[in-house]
């Protein structure tokens, strides 16, 4: 077993949030910048309400957070969720690199070329 | 031995690792098929594995425990979902309670192993997923795997663009 830190519900949210092109695009913009919901709404050919819904999905998945500043609602990424995903995969990679090395060691010991 | 490639897919939380070994395919297969060999590579040196049950048939189980430096034991299980010796093996790997029953509260990992003759040796492709089998099937039905590959590069670029997360 390899220790995973993400619970199934977290995964469901993460998958769902990332399964949509617009949401992935919103996420990319939020990494680079801290756009307001209104500004995001200008970018996509959809209503303000629709963009707001996409942001809400990302928010529930823990990928972004909203912050009210004056009259604007600024959206910024929650790097933690992305970092958690990366860390989980890094752990898995490290564990399996170790296993592959040990496999090679065994093959060497036992007459593998 | 060479690790040919490691591909991480942040969107589907999976990892594909391809390695080549200078040994015949039947020999490499034995690393998985022989419990005595399996226990020599499964656990890290600090947590050697002991395989108690080993049935590489569809629906079959592998039961093992790993012993830590303080003598503490962590139990785990595999449930074999597909097998075709010496070319392929799919299983779900999870944590077990001290009595050996699967611990449903802990996440499971899916492992898909493919072996093929390559040059004078064997190429092994292993795919690891973080979700349950049901979850993977569900994702496939949605067509998620067609959507995700193209997003891998994007996600990598995205993650590379957040240097402040580097030390997390």
């Amino acid at each position: 077993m390899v220790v995973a830190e993400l619970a199934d519900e977290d995964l469901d949210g993460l998958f769902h949030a990332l399964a949509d092109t617009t949401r992935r695009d919103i996420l990319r913009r939020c990494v680079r910048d801290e756009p307001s919901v209104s500004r995001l709404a200008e970018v996509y050919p959809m209503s303000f309400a629709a963009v707001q819904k996409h942001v809400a999905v990302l928010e529930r998945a823990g990928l972004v957070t909203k912050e009210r500043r004056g009259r604007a609602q600024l959206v910024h990424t929650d790097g933690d969720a992305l970092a958690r995903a990366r860390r989980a995969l890094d752990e898995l990679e490290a564990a399996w690199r170790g296993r592959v090395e040990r496999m090679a060691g065994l093959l060497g010991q036992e007459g593998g070329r | 031995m060479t690790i040919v490639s490691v591909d991480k897919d942040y969107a589907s939380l999976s990892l594909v690792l391809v390695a080549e070994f200078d040994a015949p395919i039947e020999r490499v297969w034995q690393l998985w098929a022989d419990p005595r060999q399996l226990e020599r590579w499964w656990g890290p040196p600090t947590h050697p594995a002991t395989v108690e049950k080993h049935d590489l048939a569809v629906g079959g189980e592998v039961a093992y425990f790993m012993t830590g430096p303080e003598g503490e034991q962590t139990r785990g299980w595999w449930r074999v979902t597909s097998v075709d010796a010496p070319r392929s093996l799919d299983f779900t790997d999870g944590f077990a309670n001290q009595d050996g029953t699967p611990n449903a509260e802990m996440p499971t990992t899916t492992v898909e192993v493919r072996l093929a003759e390559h040059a004078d040796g064997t190429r092994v492709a292993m795919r690891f997923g973080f979700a349950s089998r049901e979850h993977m099937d569900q994702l496939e039905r949605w067509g998620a795997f067609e959507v995700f590959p193209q997003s891998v590069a994007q996600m990598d670029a995205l993650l590379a663009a957040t240097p402040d997360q580097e030390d997390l």
Side-chain angles (χ1 to χ4, degrees):
Chain A
M1 74 212 84
V2 173
V3 177
E5 296 179 18
L6 291 160
D8 277 351
E9 313 86 80
D10 293 346
L11 284 174
D12 280 335
L14 208 55
F15 285 136
H16 176 61
L18 291 168
D20 182 272
T21 319
T22 305
R23 287 199 287 273
R24 286 202 300 269
D25 195 66
I26 292 176
L27 193 59
R28 269 192 299 278
R29 286 172 193 276
C30 296
V31 166
R32 288 198 295 266
D33 199 3
E34 217 181 43
S36 64
V37 179
S38 327
R39 224 184 77 215
L40 286 171
E42 287 164 16
V43 177
Y44 306 104
M46 56 181 80
S47 68
F48 181 84
V51 170
Q52 214 165 20
K53 267 186 199 164
H54 281 309
V55 171
V57 172
L58 289 169
E59 205 179 1
R60 277 199 299 276
L63 291 166
V64 301
T65 46
K66 269 191 310 204
E67 189 193 338
R68 183 161 282 287
R69 200 170 297 165
R71 290 171 61 185
Q73 283 197 91
L74 303 182
V75 188
H76 48 92
T77 41
D78 183 347
D80 275 2
L82 293 174
R84 278 206 325 268
R86 181 164 63 172
R87 202 167 47 207
L89 288 181
D90 282 351
E91 277 176 20
L92 197 62
E93 179 187 350
W96 278 93
R97 276 183 182 273
R99 281 173 177 165
V100 166
E101 270 168 32
R102 292 192 291 279
M103 286 182 201
L106 280 175
L107 294 173
Q109 274 171 34
E110 302 190 2
R113 289 180 304 110
Chain B
M1 180 273 295
T2 318
I3 291 183
V4 179
S5 63
V6 180
D7 290 302
K8 292 181 205 174
D9 184 342
Y10 293 100
S12 67
L13 291 176
S14 65
L15 174 74
V16 177
L17 193 152
V18 180
E20 285 172 6
F21 298 98
D22 290 334
I25 187 167
E26 291 286 352
R27 177 67 196 88
V28 177
W29 176 257
Q30 286 305 312
L31 292 173
W32 303 82
D34 175 353
R36 299 291 80 80
Q37 290 184 36
L38 172 63
E39 58 192 13
R40 292 177 63 188
W41 64 263
W42 182 257
T46 53
H47 291 72
T50 305
V51 177
E52 294 176 301
K53 191 173 165 189
H54 187 275
D55 177 15
L56 287 200
V58 175
E61 277 177 43
V62 170
Y64 63 91
F65 61 87
M66 301 203 286
T67 309
E70 312 289 323
E72 72 276 17
Q73 292 185 347
T74 322
R75 294 187 170 270
W77 54 270
W78 295 0
R79 166 77 68 174
V80 178
T81 48
S82 162
V83 60
D84 178 19
R87 310 206 157 265
S88 83
L89 172 67
D90 295 355
F91 62 92
T92 304
D93 174 40
F95 290 82
N97 302 308
Q98 284 307 313
D99 64 1
T101 55
N103 183 338
E105 284 165 29
M106 296 296 283
T108 57
T109 314
T110 54
V111 182
E112 297 167 22
V113 190
R114 298 290 177 273
L115 288 76
E117 287 99 348
H118 180 80
D120 287 333
T122 305
R123 174 174 279 209
V124 185
M126 292 169 277
R127 183 178 192 289
F128 314 107
F130 262 100
S132 66
R133 189 84 215 167
E134 291 75 19
H135 201 128
M136 303 275 280
D137 292 345
Q138 207 180 3
L139 283 171
E140 269 173 345
R141 279 200 298 278
W142 290 348
F145 288 155
E146 285 139 43
V147 175
F148 283 136
Q150 69 214 31
S151 72
V152 178
Q154 297 168 346
M155 289 303 291
D156 273 337
L158 185 64
L159 291 163
T162 50
D164 53 331
Q165 296 307 325
E166 213 50 68
D167 17 320
L168 277 172

